[in-house]
């Protein structure tokens, strides 16, 4: 891109390249090297989930696994929004702690038998667990999602 500089009026010169601010640069690197499917597989290996598939519904680093007659679970690494951005016009939102990290739980946000837990990594990034049961209550989904979130939390980077 060219623009006019004040040094030689009217002569095109390269426009200055703005470097990312430290906070946006660090957010982009928060989950560097972390693969959501590999992580989900490692924390659910004892739960007989199968068909781990990458997903991009909440971020470009998400993965969903299914379990016959149980339901499905997904995790996402979201590097551009913290837990404060989580809200739902459906279900019940409550603050909680997951392995000494601030977290938000949305019970029934996607309907009966669903629970969504956002775990704070930095003020502008989070990891999420989204669990939906084939049959069952949102309370049961949240209990199961919390077990997975507790296994996920120690694998997450420590943010500022």
């Amino acid at each position: 891109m060219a623009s006019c500089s004040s040094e030689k009026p009217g002569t095109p010169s390269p426009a200055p390249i703005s470097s990312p601010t430290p906070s946006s640069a660090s957010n982009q690197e928060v989950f560097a090297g972390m693969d959501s499917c590999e992580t989900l597989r490692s924390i659910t290996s004892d739960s007989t989930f199968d068909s781990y598939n990458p997903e991009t519904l909440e971020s470009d680093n998400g993965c969903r696994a299914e379990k016959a007659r149980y339901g499905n679970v997904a995790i996402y690494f979201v590097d551009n929004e913290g837990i404060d951005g989580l809200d739902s016009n459906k279900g019940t939102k409550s603050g909680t702690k997951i392995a000494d990290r601030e977290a938000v739980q949305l019970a029934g946000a996607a309907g009966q038998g669903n629970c969504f837990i956002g775990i704070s990594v930095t003020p502008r990034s989070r990891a999420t667990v989204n669990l939906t049961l084939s049959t069952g209550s949102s309370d049961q989904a949240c209990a199961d999602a919390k077990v997975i979130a507790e296994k996920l939390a120690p694998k997450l980077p420590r943010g500022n």
Side-chain angles (χ1 to χ4, degrees):
M1 181 173 195
S3 66
C4 294
S5 72
S6 58
E7 293 174 27
K8 295 183 181 180
T11 304
S13 64
I17 298 171
S18 63
S19 57
T21 62
S23 64
S24 66
S26 63
N27 278 343
Q28 292 171 0
E29 298 170 8
V30 168
F31 299 109
M34 292 190 72
D35 178 274
S36 57
C37 283
E38 183 180 303
T39 303
L40 182 59
R41 196 174 284 111
S42 75
I43 62 176
T44 60
S45 61
D46 60 348
S47 302
T48 63
F49 280 94
D50 55 32
S51 67
Y52 292 83
N53 296 306
E55 269 194 0
T56 58
L57 296 175
E58 190 180 345
S59 78
D60 61 358
N61 195 355
C63 188
R64 179 172 304 277
E66 298 176 16
K67 185 176 185 180
R69 293 179 298 281
Y70 173 78
N72 62 67
V73 64
I75 65 169
Y76 291 93
F77 299 137
V78 182
D79 60 12
N80 61 354
E81 185 178 60
I83 61 172
D84 292 342
L86 294 174
D87 211 358
S88 174
N89 59 359
K90 193 174 178 186
T92 305
K93 179 179 180 178
S94 58
T96 188
K97 288 266 193 182
I98 300 292
D100 83 342
R101 294 176 185 255
E102 294 298 319
V104 171
Q105 176 177 292
L106 297 167
Q112 180 67 16
N114 172 263
C115 188
F116 184 92
I117 297 175
I119 307 164
S120 181
V121 176
T122 71
R124 299 282 305 139
S125 64
R126 70 174 183 261
T128 61
V129 173
N130 185 358
L131 191 135
T132 303
L133 297 172
S134 297
T135 59
S137 68
S138 294
D139 288 342
Q140 181 60 53
C142 284
D144 292 359
K146 190 167 186 176
V147 169
I148 292 170
E150 293 282 353
K151 290 179 182 180
L152 173 61
K155 296 179 178 295
L156 298 173
R158 284 285 172 187
N160 298 346

